[in-house]
Amino acid sequence: MTAQELPNGFTGFANRKPGFEPASASVGHTPVGGYTTGGGASLAGVPAGYERGAQGAFQYARDHARPDTGAASFDPDKLRLIPDTDRRWAWTEIDLNALRHNVASLKRHVGPGVRVMAVVKADGYGHGAVRCAKTALNSGAEYLGVATVNEAIELREALVNAPILVLSQPPDEAIPLLLAYKVMPSVYTPDFAIRYAEAADAFGIRAPYHLAVNTGMNRIGVRHDQVVEFLSQVSFHRALDLVGTFTHFATADAPETLDFHIQTKRFLEAIQGMRVAGVDPGIIHAANSAAAIRYPDVHFDMVRPGIALYGLHPCPETRTMIDLKPVMSVHARVTDARLVPMSEGVSYGMNYRSPGSVKICTVPVGYADGLRRGLSGRTDFIVSGQRFRQVGNICMDQCMFEVDMRIYGTRRRVDPQIGDEVVLVGRQGDSVVTLDDMANTLGTIHYELSIGFAQRMPRVYV
């Protein structure tokens, strides 16, 4: 009996799906019983001087040499070509066209003469900072915002040349990195400002920065009524270069507007005080996503959209004000499918019991991937355009969903098989599951969820 004639349940190869590639595609060039001959004890294709630890990755092939053919060998270059989505059936898709659409929508909304700073901190809110930064810049953004020095360095090393602002004041020890990589810090303490200027002066270069103003959020910044005093302490230094002045709104996404208007008034007074003192505030910016969409009066010279870039609305009020398209969707493939008899439990704790006539399907996504355990039994997955309930406790690496196998009138019967695609977040046909749905269930915000899904699942850019 040949391999193709073996029963499907034994090898899984008799009824291969279209596009299936055997593992032999990733080994050497001359197949011998599913492996390849290496012509000796050494590994074919491993560079000379390859580290002993690295060779250990191929130890199995060497130790299990077939006596009649010599040592089996794998080609490490071919192994590296096996895509991440074939190493584990779970991934996020990042729609760069949707990102371009969102940048264009924001540009139209704020109008000509207002720059856009694309905030790509936290690895682009889980969407991939480098690819999203480049796409945003190519779509009309002029500035980039990050949270840490390392985030800025990642962009520079990926050959991103746009102005980058670190949206907080880094430690003094990071000053050489700021200067070497041409990254601007936010500044709000005199000691840092002087040390930054002294280091720049020692290299014969300028020390550009943006002044952070605290107008009421009380997170970072020079207090709004002490801005002129602060500048009098640092502006004497010839290397310092005030490029911009900004604040951050705490309640731009809230229905209540009093605190927002108080912050706006304080910021305008601080800017006016700088001008009266003869200080040019540079690029004035304050508006996050919510403020950029809701409040034209605070667009100033530049807006700083973050979550809106990725197609997620900062608050319900913005949904009718601007057209945004979600950039991220979350996908997996079925790794197991079985009929579970009535009353048998599923997953840890067996909080779910089969009602009978259901198929329980497993996907390799769990709370270590960002699918929060609090969603157990409280979210739906989509298969073949239909929604199905997730059941049982979500595990660290896997979870299950239920498919009712009974037929009700004209209801279309879906019978998932191993390898079928499942949408955890996104749209398929007329069915949609959103990060907002999950966030509302959990009592949190979609920012947290989008970042969570980037923890270890590979990204596919489309």
Side-chain angles (χ1 to χ4, degrees):
M1 181 179 288
T2 67
Q4 289 295 329
E5 294 171 337
L6 290 171
N8 188 36
F10 180 70
T11 65
F13 292 156
N15 295 319
R16 293 173 177 169
K17 292 191 173 185
F20 178 89
E21 290 189 9
S24 60
S26 299
V27 298
H29 300 289
T30 309
V32 177
Y35 290 92
T36 59
T37 56
S42 63
L43 286 173
V46 177
Y50 207 74
E51 294 179 351
R52 186 178 187 88
Q55 288 194 39
F58 305 100
Q59 191 68 42
Y60 181 87
R62 293 189 296 176
D63 291 348
H64 293 75
R66 299 191 176 193
D68 56 338
T69 61
S73 63
F74 291 91
D75 184 337
D77 292 327
K78 288 186 176 181
L79 290 172
R80 280 190 285 269
L81 293 176
I82 298 174
D84 287 338
T85 51
D86 286 340
R87 303 180 186 203
R88 184 183 183 218
W89 275 349
W91 69 97
T92 60
E93 283 187 6
I94 308 301
D95 185 347
L96 296 178
N97 280 332
L99 179 58
R100 293 186 187 98
H101 168 88
N102 297 336
V103 175
S105 290
L106 288 161
K107 290 282 288 183
R108 285 193 301 272
H109 191 80
V110 300
V114 179
R115 306 185 205 188
V116 171
M117 175 191 289
V119 180
V120 293
K121 63 181 181 178
D123 200 17
Y125 288 56
H127 294 69
V130 171
R131 291 293 294 272
C132 289
K134 290 181 176 181
T135 300
L137 292 170
N138 289 335
S139 304
E142 294 95 344
Y143 244 80
L144 297 173
V146 298
T148 69
V149 173
N150 277 349
E151 289 178 344
I153 291 174
E154 179 188 15
L155 295 173
R156 286 286 185 249
E157 292 184 341
L159 305 180
V160 174
N161 295 317
I164 300 175
L165 175 65
V166 180
L167 294 164
S168 61
Q169 183 176 284
D172 293 356
E173 291 78 6
I175 287 173
L177 293 169
L178 296 171
L179 297 170
Y181 285 93
K182 296 184 178 179
V183 174
M184 286 177 285
S186 300
V187 171
Y188 43 84
T189 65
D191 287 348
F192 178 88
I194 298 304
R195 290 191 180 103
Y196 179 50
E198 286 291 302
D201 203 34
F203 285 99
I205 58 178
R206 305 288 291 171
Y209 73 99
H210 286 228
L211 175 66
V213 180
N214 172 26
T215 56
M217 187 167 177
N218 291 305
R219 184 171 66 178
I220 64 168
V222 178
R223 184 175 164 83
H224 60 93
D225 54 1
Q226 297 173 357
V227 168
V228 173
E229 178 186 349
F230 171 85
L231 290 170
S232 69
Q233 298 176 57
V234 302
S235 59
F236 69 89
H237 204 293
R238 63 182 182 181
L240 276 179
D241 186 6
L242 178 58
V243 175
T245 303
F246 74 99
T247 193
H248 190 61
F249 294 119
T251 61
D253 58 351
E256 179 274 322
T257 63
L258 176 60
D259 288 320
F260 169 79
H261 289 302
I262 289 173
Q263 282 195 262
T264 300
K265 180 175 180 293
R266 289 173 174 175
F267 187 56
L268 290 172
E269 289 172 349
I271 296 295
Q272 181 61 21
M274 293 171 69
R275 287 176 170 150
V276 169
V279 178
D280 180 359
I283 301 170
I284 301 170
H285 52 108
N288 54 11
S289 290
I293 298 170
R294 296 180 70 189
Y295 302 110
D297 290 347
V298 296
H299 287 168
F300 302 121
D301 300 319
M302 183 164 66
V303 295
R304 302 192 308 269
I307 199 69
L309 289 177
Y310 309 103
L312 300 171
H313 283 273
C315 56
E317 289 79 4
T318 65
R319 293 186 179 280
T320 60
M321 302 178 70
I322 190 171
D323 178 37
L324 301 176
K325 295 182 178 179
V327 175
M328 175 188 287
S329 55
V330 182
H331 304 254
R333 293 191 183 278
V334 175
T335 56
D336 187 86
R338 65 185 64 223
L339 294 171
V340 176
M342 181 181 294
S343 80
E344 287 201 7
V346 171
S347 193
Y348 292 116
M350 293 191 176
N351 298 322
Y352 163 88
R353 299 276 175 175
S354 169
S357 299
V358 296
K359 178 177 274 192
I360 299 299
C361 302
T362 302
V363 293
V365 181
Y367 57 80
D369 304 293
L371 185 66
R372 299 271 293 275
R373 193 172 184 272
L375 290 169
S376 296
R378 305 168 73 194
T379 188
D380 289 345
F381 298 160
I382 305 172
V383 180
S384 299
Q386 291 191 33
R387 293 172 66 126
F388 297 96
R389 186 166 64 105
Q390 187 279 323
V391 296
N393 282 330
I394 293 171
C395 311
M396 183 180 289
D397 316 299
Q398 304 177 80
C399 65
M400 286 66 81
F401 65 94
E402 172 197 85
V403 179
D404 190 342
M405 302 305 292
R406 292 169 289 189
I407 298 176
Y408 300 98
T410 59
R411 175 178 171 271
R412 182 166 63 91
R413 186 172 182 268
V414 176
D415 186 13
Q417 303 296 318
I418 291 176
D420 286 353
E421 184 173 345
V422 181
V423 176
L424 284 69
V425 177
R427 179 182 295 275
Q428 192 180 70
D430 294 329
S431 297
V432 60
V433 176
T434 68
L435 289 174
D436 286 299
D437 296 333
M438 291 182 171
N440 291 336
T441 298
L442 291 166
T444 185
I445 54 176
H446 44 31
Y447 300 67
E448 186 177 14
L449 298 179
S450 69
I451 292 169
F453 279 118
Q455 291 182 65
R456 68 174 181 179
M457 284 198 289
R459 295 189 190 99
V460 177
Y461 291 94
V462 297

